[in-house]
Amino acid sequence: MPSDRAARRIAVVSMHTSPTASLGHNANGGLNVYVHEVATAFSDRGIATDIFTRRQSPDDPTVERLADLSRVIYLPAGRGLDKYTLFNEVPAFARRIAGFAEHEGAVYDLLFSHYWLSGEVACILRPRLAGSWAHVAHTLGLVKNRSLAQGARPEPALRIRVEGEIAQQADVLIASTEEESSDLVNQYRADPERVFVIPPGVDLSMFQPIDRAEARRKIGYGPGRLLLFVGRLERLKGVEVAIRALALLRDRNHDDVRLLVLGEDSKDGDESETDRLKAVASAAGVRDRVDFLGSVAHHELPYFYSAAEVTVMPSYSESFGLVGLEAQACARPVVGSDVTGLRSVVRDEVSGYLVPSHDPAAYAERIGRLLDDPELAQQMGRRGRLLAQRFSWTRTADRLQVLFERLAERAQLRVHATARHE
Ligand code: UDP
């Protein structure tokens, strides 16, 4: 049953992936962390959330408690479908949410949708389920298509059309960075008055620096130096660049260095990125130096970040880049691509390096500087921790709460005005 202790009730739509999913494979990454962390922080503030997601396995419960005032509700909506085919399930999924709310007598102050598929669900539900609608895109099709990795599949016109519809219709659009806000206004013609920049956060109590030797012992590695990649494996993440950079470093006397790759295939097609990357590593002569460790539980990541000399993020686009923020929170430098999302997390020459290309030699040069100068790496790590301290999920939730209160008040005024005219 819904809790009647709540000051506000929010229907969160996360059709594509669930906040309870294990991270680093399929589509499970930053979006899941965002929904999980915000719902938990809202619960602490007396704001209840019902998070609607699709049932992905017969073992999924119908309802699961995420926090005191937060529930995840698993509804059937096609299993094993890619995100484009999943679009056909949107109307049925929306009907099931409405049916659930009606059955429970649940009344929501706000619809809070994540990613374009859920945005389309919210488009359908908006008039009957809640007075207001806030949307987070997480990534935008047009932005991804602007800088595709070689061989990557462009986002189809369907997604871009739906994102345009959402940009026109949602009451507020929440962007992670100023650049995303400009893209929403300039590329999707969103009303600038309705776009708000609220960056995501990091759990600073979980992501803390750990002594390197202890962290290495914990993850089962000895004294050799480590580079780290963390994320869903898809071309967009540019792991190939990190592998090629490792091969160049090996030629330059850094032959003890290993690259740990954490994460699994982000399946949206038939190709396995893991298999492709293994072939790249073999061809570059470093297959014995790259460890594909699969996805690792979120709470174990501080050991991996702390064990590594450098976290590498050669992404072709990133709307934010939580991994960079987590590495910095563990006081370790990041070498990443100079793309919008990472620019708001990593400061070039301060907490790491932002590389303006995907040239492995440029990455090898920056990583080499840090390997050659541990003091510099340590200094950049310390500065990274300070930068990371500016972001926290508490702060993200605070800012969302203020925005949502304003929305609720506006919706209330609309109701009163309509009543007066009747
Ligand atoms: N992650 C994890 N275990 C893994 C791989 C990734 O917990 O094996 C988490 C990682 O800590 C981060 C998120 O997944 O919080 C990925 O977020 P990011 O913004 O870097 O990438 P996205 O998935 O949004 O593209």
Side-chain angles (χ1 to χ4, degrees), residues 23-24 28-31 33 207 230-232 236-237 262-263 294-298 301 305 313 318 320-324 326:
L23 301 172
N28 307 336
L31 186 159
V33 175
F207 289 98
V230 180
R232 299 171 295 107
L236 165 100
K237 294 286 180 181
L262 270 52
S295 60
V296 168
H298 200 55
L301 289 180
Y305 290 124
M313 295 187 77
E318 249 344 309
F320 193 70
L322 288 182
V323 161
E326 291 162 1

Side-chain angles (χ1 to χ4, degrees), residues 10 34 38 42 110-115 133-140 166-167 170-182 184 190-200 319-320 393 396-397 399-404 406-407:
I10 300 177
Y34 187 112
V38 167
F42 274 178
L110 179 82
L111 265 168
F112 188 22
S113 57
H114 296 266
Y115 200 55
W133 168 24
H135 179 74
V136 187
H138 293 276
T139 60
L140 291 166
I166 297 165
D171 293 300
V172 295
L173 299 164
I174 295 152
S176 295
T177 60
E178 290 295 342
E179 287 88 348
E180 189 185 346
S181 158
S182 310
L184 283 163
D191 171 1
E193 302 273 301
R194 289 187 297 112
V195 184
F196 296 83
V197 177
I198 301 182
S319 52
F320 193 70
W393 289 112
T396 307
R399 295 175 67 182
L400 288 172
Q401 185 178 6
V402 169
L403 178 62
F404 292 172
R406 280 215 307 259
L407 270 179

Side-chain angles (χ1 to χ4, degrees), residues 12-332:
V12 180
V13 189
S14 181
M15 178 187 184
H16 189 207
T17 69
S18 160
T20 56
S22 67
L23 301 172
H25 63 107
N26 288 336
N28 307 336
L31 186 159
N32 310 60
V33 175
Y34 187 112
V35 173
H36 190 292
E37 295 287 346
V38 167
T40 311
F42 274 178
S43 174
D44 296 342
R45 293 166 162 70
I47 302 171
T49 48
D50 279 346
I51 304 166
F52 294 96
T53 193
R54 73 197 159 110
R55 172 173 281 260
Q56 297 210 44
S57 118
D59 305 331
D60 281 341
T62 312
V63 177
E64 187 177 1
R65 196 149 288 281
L66 192 73
D68 196 22
L69 294 179
S70 178
R71 304 182 298 174
V72 183
I73 293 134
Y74 300 85
L75 300 172
R79 242 181 254 153
L81 302 175
D82 71 39
K83 58 190 174 194
Y84 311 111
T85 321
L86 201 55
F87 184 75
N88 300 327
E89 301 292 322
V90 161
F93 188 69
R95 270 199 307 278
R96 290 195 178 104
I97 295 178
F100 179 93
E102 198 180 307
H103 178 73
E104 288 229 329
V107 178
Y108 297 105
D109 298 294
L110 179 82
L111 265 168
F112 188 22
S113 57
H114 296 266
Y115 200 55
W116 62 281
L117 286 165
S118 302
E120 183 70 5
V121 175
C123 260
I124 298 172
L125 288 173
R126 157 87 157 92
R128 50 190 169 142
L129 203 75
S132 313
W133 168 24
H135 179 74
V136 187
H138 293 276
T139 60
L140 291 166
L142 279 175
V143 175
K144 279 180 93 172
N145 285 354
R146 252 190 340 231
S147 52
L148 286 176
Q150 212 186 2
R153 195 163 60 156
E155 291 299 320
L158 166 74
R159 170 175 179 174
I160 288 153
R161 178 179 63 70
V162 171
E163 287 175 338
E165 214 177 291
I166 297 165
Q168 303 304 311
Q169 294 188 27
D171 293 300
V172 295
L173 299 164
I174 295 152
S176 295
T177 60
E178 290 295 342
E179 287 88 348
E180 189 185 346
S181 158
S182 310
D183 282 324
L184 283 163
V185 171
N186 300 326
Q187 308 286 321
Y188 288 96
R189 300 207 316 281
D191 171 1
E193 302 273 301
R194 289 187 297 112
V195 184
F196 296 83
V197 177
I198 301 182
V202 60
D203 182 340
L204 292 163
S205 59
M206 177 156 88
F207 289 98
Q208 291 223 24
I210 301 167
D211 171 70
R212 181 167 279 134
E214 183 197 332
R216 284 206 178 137
R217 254 197 317 279
K218 177 83 181 171
I219 66 167
Y221 279 84
R225 293 171 301 170
L226 301 173
L227 307 180
L228 179 70
F229 170 86
V230 180
R232 299 171 295 107
L233 298 186
E234 59 170 288
R235 290 205 187 213
L236 165 100
K237 294 286 180 181
V239 189
E240 177 173 345
V241 177
I243 294 173
R244 294 191 190 285
L246 177 73
L248 294 172
L249 283 164
R250 197 153 106 151
D251 295 343
R252 287 183 210 153
N253 283 338
H254 292 294
D255 42 16
D256 63 313
V257 181
R258 306 187 74 78
L259 169 65
L260 310 187
V261 177
L262 270 52
E264 286 167 38
D265 283 342
S266 184
K267 277 229 167 61
D268 257 337
D270 302 328
E271 184 188 66
S272 158
E273 177 71 349
T274 313
D275 291 346
R276 197 183 73 80
L277 291 172
K278 284 180 179 168
V280 168
S282 298
V286 287
R287 182 64 193 88
D288 60 332
R289 294 268 144 205
V290 185
D291 297 335
F292 291 88
L293 300 180
S295 60
V296 168
H298 200 55
H299 66 270
E300 286 179 15
L301 289 180
Y303 292 101
F304 285 86
Y305 290 124
S306 299
E309 265 62 31
V310 182
T311 293
V312 191
M313 295 187 77
S315 314
Y316 285 81
S317 73
E318 249 344 309
S319 52
F320 193 70
L322 288 182
V323 161
L325 192 53
E326 291 162 1
Q328 289 188 174
C330 294
R332 296 295 183 268

